[in-house]
Amino acid sequence: MAASLKHRAIMMAGGSVIGLAGAGALTWAGVVALAPYMGLASAGAVVGGLLILGAAFAMWKATRPAIPMEEEFAGVTAAAVNTAAYIRDDTLDTLTGMSINVVGNMVEKRPLLTLLGVGVAAYAVARAPNTSAGIVDRMLSRLV
């Protein structure tokens, strides 16, 4: 199981590098294709602006909850809603309240695990805040 997980992580990292190289090549191709019409600097600005716009849209879409909190807790008592909101807020306070030294130590000790953990935590909290806040809190306490 661990070998399979390690193999998958290596394949994901390799795929990310290859994908970034492909994105860079397509970006350069777009700049070169537009350069005769508007100049190299303007073509670079247009292509870069489009990429930033696309990235902003992707981040906005990825961080929106799948289900609004009101619908997610429909039929649940007010105490349960308040508890889930408290756990979520407590987790966010923990994430934002860590000192720079602690974050630096986490990155220094386990850089890939920290990056992967923060990415998964951010996605999970954005998608299902009531179920993932406790998991994120436990994960952070183990990483520190």
Side-chain angles (χ1 to χ4, degrees):
M1 178 72 179
S4 175
L5 181 61
K6 184 178 181 181
H7 185 257
R8 286 183 184 178
I10 291 170
M11 293 298 289
M12 287 189 296
S16 297
V17 170
I18 292 169
L20 285 172
L26 287 174
T27 301
W28 181 246
V31 170
V32 169
L34 289 176
Y37 302 107
M38 60 178 59
L40 188 60
S42 298
V46 167
V47 171
L50 288 174
L51 289 174
I52 289 173
L53 183 66
F57 177 74
M59 284 191 267
W60 174 76
K61 187 73 172 157
T63 56
R64 292 181 56 198
I67 301 169
M69 195 171 206
E70 295 81 21
E71 291 178 22
E72 187 173 2
F73 291 112
V76 178
T77 64
V81 173
N82 290 338
T83 302
Y86 172 75
I87 291 171
R88 183 193 65 216
D89 293 342
D90 189 40
T91 302
L92 291 174
D93 289 343
T94 302
L95 284 171
T96 57
M98 291 190 307
S99 71
I100 298 298
N101 292 335
V102 172
V103 174
N105 288 339
M106 286 170 53
V107 172
E108 187 177 310
K109 286 180 184 176
R110 299 180 184 100
L112 292 177
L113 181 63
T114 303
L115 179 64
L116 181 66
V118 169
V120 168
Y123 179 77
V125 168
R127 282 296 188 191
N130 62 330
T131 57
S132 58
I135 295 169
V136 171
D137 192 32
R138 285 192 300 271
M139 183 186 70
L140 285 175
S141 66
R142 288 182 184 143
L143 281 175
V144 175

